[in-house]
Amino acid sequence: KVKGGGRNDYRIFDKALDSEAHDRCRIECELHEAIAADALQLHYQPIVSLADGGVCGMEALVRWPHPTRGFMTPDRFIDIAEDSGVIVQLGEWAIQRACRDAALWPDHVKVAVNISPSHIKKRTLFDSVARALAQHDVKPQRLEIEVTETVLLRHDDEILAELRRLRSLGVSVVLDDFGIGYSSLSHLRMFTFDKVKIDRSFVGEITERPDCAAIVCAIAGLARSLGMATTAEGVETKQQLKLLRAAGCTQAQGYLFGRPQPAAAIDLATAVRTLAS
Ligand code: C2E
Ligand code: MG
Ligand code: MG
Ligand code: MG
C-alpha cells in the first residue's frame, strides 16, 4: 500500500512539474503575442520630492490585462520573461511607451523605467533609449533607468560601459531595491549612480525596529555624501514618512501618495496634498 502510494505520488509530482513547465511556456508565448499586439499597459506611481512636496517622478510599472488569466502584475511573468529573453522586447516597448507618456506631465516630472540586466547586456539599450527620446522629443534628463544590484554581480565591463553611455547621454541611472542584495556597498563604488532607492523591506519596519531606522539613516547619509538622491520605497503611513524625513531621504514613493495607475487617471495634485496634510 505504502509502495503503491509512493509511486502514485511520484506520478502526481511529475505531472505537476510538467504542467508548471507547460504553463510557463504558454505564458512566454502569450507574452510575445501581447507585446506584438500592444496589449500590455504601463501604470505609473508618483515619486514625491521631500524638499518641496511636489511630484518629481513617475515610475512605470508593467501590467498585463490577460483575456483568461486576469489582470496580471509583474510577479506573475517577469521571471518567465527574463528566463526566455522576451524581457528585451518588453523593455524596448516600455521605453517607447514611457517616453510617449512623458509628454503628459510637466518637464520637471521624470519618468522611471525598470530594465533587466540581460537587456543591458544586449547592448542595444543605448540606441533604443536615444531613439525613443528623439522620437517623442523628450529630454534625456527626464528619463531614469532603474536597475537592481544583480546587474553588478557579474562584474561585467560591458554592462558598466552601457550604463556609462546612458549617463553620458544625460539619462539618470538608479539603483533599485538597495540594501537587500549581496555586498550592496561595494556596488556603489563600481558605478556612479544618480540615485538609490531604499528597499521597501527597510521602510516597512522603520517604525517598529530601531535597527531598520538606523540602516535607513546610514544609507541616506552615505548617499548624500556620495552626491546621490534617495527614494524611500513602499511608504504607506505618515509615521513612516516622518522617520524617513528625519533620516534625510530626499524622495518618497508608496501607497501613501498613490498606487500605480494608468497615466490618464493620475492627478498630480493628490500626492502633494497627502504630503501637506
Ligand atoms: P520595483 O521596481 O521595486 O517596483 C516597486 C513595486 O512596489 C511595485 O510592484 C509597486 O506596485 C510596489 N509598491 C509601491 N508602493 C508600495 C507600497 O506602499 N506598499 C507595497 N506593499 N508595495 C508597493 P509591482 O508593480 O508589482 O512590480 C514589481 C517589480 O516588478 C518591480 O519592483 C520591478 O522590479 C518589476 N517590474 C515592474 N515593471 C517592470 C518593467 O516594465 N520591466 C522590468 N524589467 N521589470 C519591471
Ligand atoms: Mg523600480
Ligand atoms: Mg524597488
Ligand atoms: Mg523590486
Side-chain angles (χ1 to χ4, degrees):
K1 187 189 167 204
V2 171
K3 224 175 159 187
R7 247 200 338 256
N8 216 10
D9 282 354
Y10 264 118
R11 251 196 325 256
I12 290 166
F13 183 63
D14 266 3
K15 258 190 170 165
L17 265 186
D18 223 50
S19 84
E20 195 197 316
H22 184 250
D23 206 43
R24 285 178 73 90
C25 241
R26 289 285 304 265
I27 290 182
E28 179 191 331
C29 255
E30 291 165 3
L31 189 53
H32 260 297
E33 291 165 7
I35 296 169
D38 201 21
L40 298 186
Q41 299 176 355
L42 285 182
H43 282 197
Y44 291 90
Q45 186 178 36
I47 301 172
V48 170
S49 159
L50 296 181
D52 62 12
V55 172
C56 58
M58 292 287 181
E59 179 173 6
L61 297 158
V62 68
R63 298 290 181 262
W64 183 6
H66 191 282
T68 57
R69 299 176 195 272
F71 190 78
M72 295 211 284
T73 49
D75 53 300
R76 299 265 311 271
F77 59 88
I78 285 291
D79 277 356
I80 298 173
E82 257 159 22
D83 291 349
S84 63
V86 195
I87 198 73
V88 175
Q89 282 98 294
L90 194 155
E92 306 268 314
W93 170 84
I95 287 164
Q96 269 293 331
R97 178 56 51 91
C99 285
R100 192 196 77 180
D101 290 344
L104 294 165
W105 301 301
D107 251 10
H108 69 272
V109 176
K110 297 188 177 196
V111 175
V113 181
N114 294 283
I115 293 294
S116 290
S118 50
H119 190 174
I120 300 166
K121 179 78 183 155
K122 281 267 184 274
R123 296 168 68 201
T124 53
L125 186 61
F126 177 88
D127 288 339
S128 23
V129 164
R131 200 178 327 119
L133 290 169
Q135 214 169 319
H136 299 283
D137 197 22
V138 175
K139 294 189 189 80
Q141 287 72 19
R142 286 194 66 197
L143 184 66
E144 291 183 326
I145 297 293
E146 295 194 5
V147 298
T148 57
E149 293 177 87
T150 52
V151 87
L152 301 176
L153 286 181
R154 298 181 227 177
H155 298 264
D156 189 321
D157 289 337
E158 291 183 349
I159 286 183
L160 292 176
E162 190 73 357
L163 292 177
R164 267 188 223 107
R165 286 215 292 163
L166 285 167
R167 270 199 100 220
S168 67
L169 191 66
V171 170
S172 300
V173 178
V174 174
L175 188 51
D176 205 352
D177 303 345
F178 184 74
I180 54 166
Y182 179 69
S183 73
S184 292
L185 287 184
S186 74
H187 295 145
L188 294 182
R189 60 166 201 205
M190 285 174 67
F191 184 77
T192 310
F193 291 94
D194 296 277
K195 181 164 93 174
V196 294
K197 299 188 80 169
I198 303 173
D199 191 73
R200 121 168 100 81
S201 57
F202 298 108
V203 175
E205 295 197 292
I206 196 170
T207 53
E208 296 100 56
R209 292 187 45 172
D211 55 345
C212 281
I215 290 170
V216 171
C217 262
I219 297 175
L222 178 66
R224 169 175 303 125
S225 37
L226 292 173
M228 297 184 293
T230 39
T231 305
E233 299 188 289
V235 185
E236 295 181 353
T237 69
K238 295 241 159 162
Q239 297 94 294
Q240 289 170 350
L241 179 62
K242 200 176 150 202
L243 292 180
L244 292 163
R245 273 179 185 284
C249 292
T250 62
Q251 302 172 357
Q253 177 181 4
Y255 296 164
L256 180 65
F257 306 102
R259 297 204 170 231
Q261 291 179 79
I266 293 175
D267 169 17
L268 276 187
T270 314
V272 182
R273 275 200 297 275
T274 306
L275 199 66
S277 63

